[in-house]
Every structure is written in C-alpha cells, then in structure tokens.
Amino acid sequence: MGLTLADNVLAEGLKRIQREVDAAFDVILPVPGDARARLVEAMRYAAIGGGKRVRPLLVATVAGMYGASRSAAVRAGCAIEAIHVYSLIHDDLPCMDDDAMRHGKPTLHVQFNEALAVLAGDSLHALAFELLAGHEVSSDPFIRAELVCCLAKASGHNGMAGGQVMDMAAEEEQFDLQGVTRLQQLKTGALLMCAVEMGAILGKVPEEGRHHLRAYARDIGLAFQIADDLLDHEGDEKLAGKALRKDEGQGKATFVSLMGPEKAREQARFLSEQAIGHLAVHGAEADLLRALARYIVERDH
Amino acid sequence: MGLTLADNVLAEGLKRIQREVDAAFDVILPVPGDARARLVEAMRYAAIGGGKRVRPLLVATVAGMYGASRSAAVRAGCAIEAIHVYSLIHDDLPCMDDDAMRHGKPTLHVQFNEALAVLAGDSLHALAFELLAGHEVSSDPFIRAELVCCLAKASGHNGMAGGQVMDMAAEEEQFDLQGVTRLQQLKTGALLMCAVEMGAILGKVPEEGRHHLRAYARDIGLAFQIADDLLDHEGDEKLAGKALRKDEGQGKATFVSLMGPEKAREQARFLSEQAIGHLAVHGAEADLLRALARYIVERDH
C-alpha cells in the first residue's frame, strides 16, 4: 500500500494538472473589491490547493490523446472540478453529512459560515457552465454546447445529485449489491464518466470511437468507489484528511459490508485490470490512464 | 392598486406562459421508479404551479418579437425559471433567510427536509443548463452556447449569487442608495436582464440591436425591486404568500428606507415609464413588454 504514487508517470501527471488547475482558478477567481469579496474568498478556499484532481487529469489526458489543446482541456478540467468541489461543499453541510474536515482543513461552513457555503457552492456550480460555454474552451460552439450538456446531465438529478439522494435513502433501507452499484454509478461514476467523455468531445472523437473510453471510465468508476469503501473501512483519518467509518456507524450497505473486504479488494483489482484492457487499442499515449487505473485501487488516501 | 392585471394583454400573456411552463416542467421531470423519486417530487413541488413566471414571459415575448419559435422560447424560459426557483429554495433555507412560506405554501425544506432542499435546488440548477444545451432549444449550437454563457454569468458570483452575498453584508453595514442599487442590480436585475438577453439570442438580434432591450431590462429590474421594497413595507402577507417586513425588522437599508415610500413610488413609476420609452422603435408586438413594465410597479403582490 505504501507503493502508491510510485508510478512516476502518474505522479508527474498529477503534479502537473494540480499546478495547472490551481493556476487557472487563481486567474479565473480574482477577489473583487466589494462585498462579494468573502464569497470569492470562500470559492477560492474550496477550489484552490486541495483534492487529487482526478477528473481534470482524465479530461486532459483523453483530450491530449486526440490532439486537443492543453489549455482548453485544463479549462474544461476546471469546470468539472468546480462541479466536484461544489458537491463536496454542499455534501459537508450540517443538514447533509455534517463533516468538519475536508482535505485536511476545516470544511467551508466551519471556516466561513453555512450561508456562504451554500452560496459558494452555487457559485462554483454556475462557474462550471460559464467556463464551458466560453470561447477559451473551444472556438467551435458545437463542442462548447456538447460539453455543457455532458456535464449538466452528469451532475443533475439523473447523475450525481440523484446518486446523493439514493445515498440518503440507503441510510433507511438496506440496499443490495445491485442497488449499491447503481447508487455509486450515479453518485461518483457519472462525473468520472463525464470527465472521459469531455476529453473525447474536446478531441473530436466520433461517437462510435468512444465505446472503449466509456468502458474504461465505467470500470475505474466502480473500482474507485470500492477502493473508497475499503479506505473508509480500514484507512487512516489523518492521511484521508476527513472523518472515516461513518457509513459503518450508520449500518449503511457498502461494497465492503456486502462483499467483505477480501472479495471487495479482489473485485476492485479485477475492475482495474479490465479497465486497462479496454485501452488495448492505444499505445504509450494512454499510459497515464493505465497508471491511474492502478493507482485508484492501490492508493492509501 | 386593485387595478393590477386589469390589463388584459398582460393577464392573457401571463396565463399562457404559466400554462406552458407548467406543462413543460411536467414533461421534463417525470418521477423515476427508484430512490430518486423523492428528489424529483421535491423539484416538481418547487417548479410547477407557483410564481408569476415573469422571466419566462420576458424570454418568450422578446424571442417572439424577432420571430423565434415559441416552443424553443418556452424551453429557454423553463431554464431561467429553474435558476430562479433553485435560488428561492436555497434562499429560504434555515441558514439563509429561514422562511417557512413561499407562494402561499410551505417552503421546500419544511415540506420535505433540508438535505432534499439543498439537492433539489442543485438539481434544478443543473437542469437549467441541460435544457439550454439541448437540441430542443435551437439547432444552432452557437445559440445554445450563448444562452448557457448568458445564464451562467447572470446566476453566478458576478450576478445573482454575488448579489445575495451583498444582501447578507447589508445586514451588518449600512448601504447607501448607490450600494443598494448595485446590490439589487446583481441580486434580481442580472437575471431579469438575462431573460431579455436570452430572448434576443433566440431571436438572433445582433449585438448592436440589443441596446434598447437592455435599457428596458435595466429599468424594469430596478422598478421591480423598488416595488418589491414597497410591497414589503406596506403589502399584505396573505396576498404575498410569504412573510413580509423582515428587512425593516433587521434595520436593513432598502429603497424605501433610504428614499421614503413616496419618493420610492415616484421613482418606480418614473423607471417604468422610462422602460416603455426604450421600446419606441417597436409597434404592437412589444405591447406585452409595455404592459409588464406598468404591472411591475402597480401589482399588489
């Protein structure tokens, strides 16, 4: 387990996209000289310098495999990260998961206040679509509209937000493996799938050429969630930078509670290998995606 | 005051768009047969059968003046209304304005719960952009991308959400008339301006042909807010369907507190007349906009 990030390809790739996303948010979110300053400070607090940036890495890597511009991909990566970050802010609210720590620092509503956490989340949500609809992402309006459509679907009631409501329902009724799979496909899978899809849109990959990328995304999405459940079960709170074992305390069904830790780990590794298999048509240009598939199941936080 | 809606043009126009928007949301938001049902029920509770639909009316009327399709305009109208509705849901939350009544019925977090109110708001937010990026709004991707850009800017930290944070700041520091004007231009003005702009985008009005429409929107936006402050000061809670006089209780600066009710009413009427003046280049096709400008300052709720 201590071998995570040993893969240099991935370590370099993550460091690079983290730097690029942080730099882009810094430019996109200047603090205004009026009463909105606190709002933008809160947005910056949540958006800059935290998180692994897995979604932007997926967008940029797939886009790069098909020759799309790096700066456009970083901007689209910022958009999907803005959605991810807003969902974490709202998820952490007292009326939701009521979490006090995130990425090793106080959550937004603790550091600022609840009202500002709601509004900073909402503002990052709107920012995502402003970024995607802007000319900097592509001079082709068809690409801009496709990106918006993809991200809006993945984040709304038929995607991430729908998955979160299913997750709330899972606290009251016992979900089976099929139910947990469906829940997680929406809650975290939809946005990971969308990241790969956005890379393909930027790279102008025709619809029929996206099947293997979608299959890859589906597999790493599930592997990611199983690994997350394993980390929640046996991980280190300090490394995670957040509270763990909340699901277990609530008796909520997870991959680990339903399959047991051994079987779950086995399944995560199987999915990771299967994901890499879907990339067989690609050469070295897909190495970062392969490294990511391995990292996702071996990471320690 | 009892003469509001006496104008038949407007009464018919509002009735028509209300029917169309309700019917569209009913089709757009079918209740799924899984654990997301509660989420979609909450979205429907907030989005269907409430509100005056002023923003969709503006989109559809301006779009119609320039020959755009009615069904496309109604769909774009639903998008901007989804943004308006989500902002009301989040605004009503206990950590924000903590309101229990809206449009004469319990607010979403009272009827359902707080977590669902956060997520239903977030889902309507995403839905707005999904609607605008879809082919049903326009076969021209440039128009779809422009609509998304316009709405995202108007709702984010440089628009509505920014105005809401200014509004929170106004509870702590005393704003002057210029400050209140700026606050309201963002908080409610940006979205009204966007409604007119969206109509112009659908109608393919060139940039240089939009000045008079923007001037109209700016004036009715301010008139609308001054009238709102007057209604908050002297209105009937039953007619309003929500709690009134909260700003006064908090000693918050409003147009009425800063100008006095007489001067404020005078200013609202002046702005309404000025807004109508900006429509001088148009004939009868702009009568609905003229009627709306009059209604905004004479309405009793």
Side-chain angles (χ1 to χ4, degrees), chain A residues 205-273:
Chain A
V205 183
E207 192 58 32
E208 59 277 13
R210 296 183 196 171
H211 294 303
H212 68 293
L213 293 171
R214 289 201 186 112
Y216 165 85
R218 199 171 303 115
D219 287 342
I220 64 161
L222 267 183
F224 186 87
Q225 192 54 47
I226 297 175
D228 227 45
D229 285 355
L230 280 163
L231 283 170
D232 193 67
H233 177 67
E234 47 203 38
D236 181 323
E237 294 206 346
K238 224 179 235 158
L239 271 176
K242 62 179 180 184
L244 297 178
R245 283 169 280 281
K246 292 183 69 172
D247 286 353
E248 269 172 67
Q250 292 170 339
K252 204 155 92 178
T254 67
F255 288 112
V256 174
S257 77
L258 291 167
M259 306 171 87
E262 287 313 305
K263 189 88 202 304
R265 197 180 323 279
E266 210 175 281
Q267 178 68 4
R269 283 182 184 149
F270 169 79
L271 286 166
S272 163
E273 287 306 317

Side-chain angles (χ1 to χ4, degrees), chain A residues 36 86 90 122-123 125 158 161, chain B residues 36 86 90 122 125 158 161:
Chain A
R36 288 169 303 140
Y86 113 69
H90 284 187
D122 290 343
S123 299
H125 195 167
N158 289 323
Chain B
R36 289 170 303 141
Y86 113 69
H90 284 186
D122 290 342
H125 195 167
N158 289 322

Side-chain angles (χ1 to χ4, degrees), chain A residues 155-215:
Chain A
S155 65
H157 65 289
N158 289 323
M160 182 182 72
Q164 279 169 311
V165 171
M166 282 189 168
D167 202 32
M168 282 161 51
E171 285 170 25
E172 271 140 54
E173 44 178 317
Q174 204 59 24
F175 275 46
D176 59 11
L177 198 55
Q178 205 184 332
V180 170
T181 303
R182 171 85 182 123
L183 182 173
Q184 296 300 353
Q185 266 171 348
L186 291 175
K187 197 185 165 203
T188 59
L191 213 55
L192 289 168
M193 174 74 78
C194 173
V196 169
E197 196 88 45
M198 283 169 69
I201 293 169
L202 284 168
K204 302 187 188 179
V205 183
E207 192 58 32
E208 59 277 13
R210 296 183 196 171
H211 294 303
H212 68 293
L213 293 171
R214 289 201 186 112

